[in-house]
Amino acid sequence: MTDYWDKNIEIEIFLTKDEPKKNDLTHPYDLTKREIELLRLLAKGIRNQEIAEKLFLSEGTIKNYISNIYSKLEVHSRKEAAKKALNERII
């Protein structure tokens, strides 16, 4: 029979075994989860206004996110961003 301590260890291992390690959370381009989410929507051809409505954000905020994405990926357009994200398996 397993004692109290062993059960707690087993539970802890079970709860943490699928958690990503801290180093696994960083992306080569330092994109945030929200930026990756936005990048997926950009790649689908969704317009800024639609993205803003979908994410409950202002269109200005979406434009800021897109500007940050372009800067991090070193691209200048939605098409370039989508292509790079797909080619490098970011999305």
Side-chain angles (χ1 to χ4, degrees):
M1 178 174 232
T2 309
D3 66 12
Y4 178 76
W5 176 255
D6 290 339
K7 284 185 181 179
N8 282 341
I9 291 173
E10 288 173 17
I11 290 169
E12 184 68 27
I13 290 169
F14 175 77
L15 293 175
T16 60
K17 72 176 183 174
D18 293 326
E19 287 181 13
K21 296 189 178 24
K22 196 169 193 175
N23 294 342
D24 294 343
L25 297 177
T26 58
H27 191 277
Y29 294 101
D30 291 325
L31 293 167
T32 64
K33 287 180 184 180
R34 181 64 101 178
E35 289 168 340
I36 292 171
E37 180 182 17
L38 229 96
L39 201 45
R40 285 188 181 105
L41 297 172
L42 287 177
K44 291 180 180 179
I46 300 175
R47 296 178 308 128
N48 292 355
Q49 183 179 357
E50 292 176 79
I51 294 172
E53 291 169 6
K54 185 179 209 92
L55 301 179
F56 303 102
L57 297 171
S58 73
E59 196 170 345
T61 300
I62 298 303
K63 288 178 181 178
N64 287 335
Y65 273 117
I66 292 171
S67 178
N68 289 338
I69 291 168
Y70 288 179
S71 178
K72 289 179 179 184
L73 294 180
E74 299 177 353
V75 298
H76 297 85
S77 70
R78 294 167 96 87
K79 186 176 179 178
E80 284 181 274
K83 184 176 180 180
K84 189 167 192 171
L86 289 168
N87 287 344
E88 298 194 21
R89 298 175 189 231
I90 297 168
I91 57 172

